[in-house]
Amino acid sequence: QVQLVESGGGLVQAGGSLRLSCAASGRAFSVYAMAWFRQAPGKEREFVAAITGSGDITLHTDSVKGRFTISGENARNTVYLQMNSLKPDDTAVYYCALGITARITGRLTRGDEYDYWGQGTQVTVSS
């Protein structure tokens, strides 16, 4: 049984920083990608950032470029999201996802290409 465990969410003032972590366990992965998605109240889930297991490809959605950075530790099947210069619009539940399908197809921004999901961690940015 694959499990993704997220941590690092919380309440922060605008302009502050948070670092999210997500660790995958339950099986070995050779070809995969990991990603962060978020969902704000009343809005659809949206892609935030993705990284391949080898680290050779990273993607960030335009609204977080220059502020958020995704990174990973392949040996530990762990991914991080460093979030700086946070804005109230970043308030959402952040979900970690792992996709074997996503890596194979290359469609790293599509949530339906990811095979496993974490339970989500709340990030709240106050103005």
Side-chain angles (χ1 to χ4, degrees):
Q1 182 73 15
V2 175
Q3 280 193 316
L4 300 181
V5 179
E6 300 131 330
S7 60
L11 173 64
V12 65
Q13 287 189 329
S17 298
L18 284 173
R19 188 190 194 210
L20 304 183
S21 300
C22 174
S25 62
R27 59 169 281 189
F29 304 98
S30 57
V31 177
Y32 67 97
M34 295 186 76
W36 292 95
F37 290 78
R38 66 186 180 186
Q39 187 166 22
K43 295 187 178 181
E44 292 187 353
R45 183 182 64 194
E46 65 170 346
F47 169 79
V48 177
I51 185 169
T52 54
S54 61
D56 60 333
I57 299 173
T58 59
L59 294 174
H60 298 81
T61 194
D62 286 346
S63 63
V64 308
K65 283 180 181 176
R67 300 188 300 121
F68 293 9
T69 302
I70 191 169
S71 61
E73 290 187 63
N74 189 23
R76 299 176 64 181
N77 290 338
T78 299
V79 65
Y80 306 98
L81 186 68
Q82 179 66 43
M83 304 186 295
N84 299 328
S85 302
L86 282 161
K87 305 175 181 179
D89 284 349
D90 295 318
T91 295
V93 177
Y94 284 70
Y95 295 93
C96 173
L98 188 150
I100 300 165
T101 305
R103 183 63 187 97
I104 293 172
T105 63
R107 293 192 284 262
L108 301 179
T109 65
R110 290 181 51 167
D112 58 0
E113 296 287 318
Y114 286 83
D115 307 289
Y116 305 100
W117 291 82
Q119 79 286 356
T121 185
Q122 177 70 46
V123 171
T124 303
V125 184
S126 63
S127 57

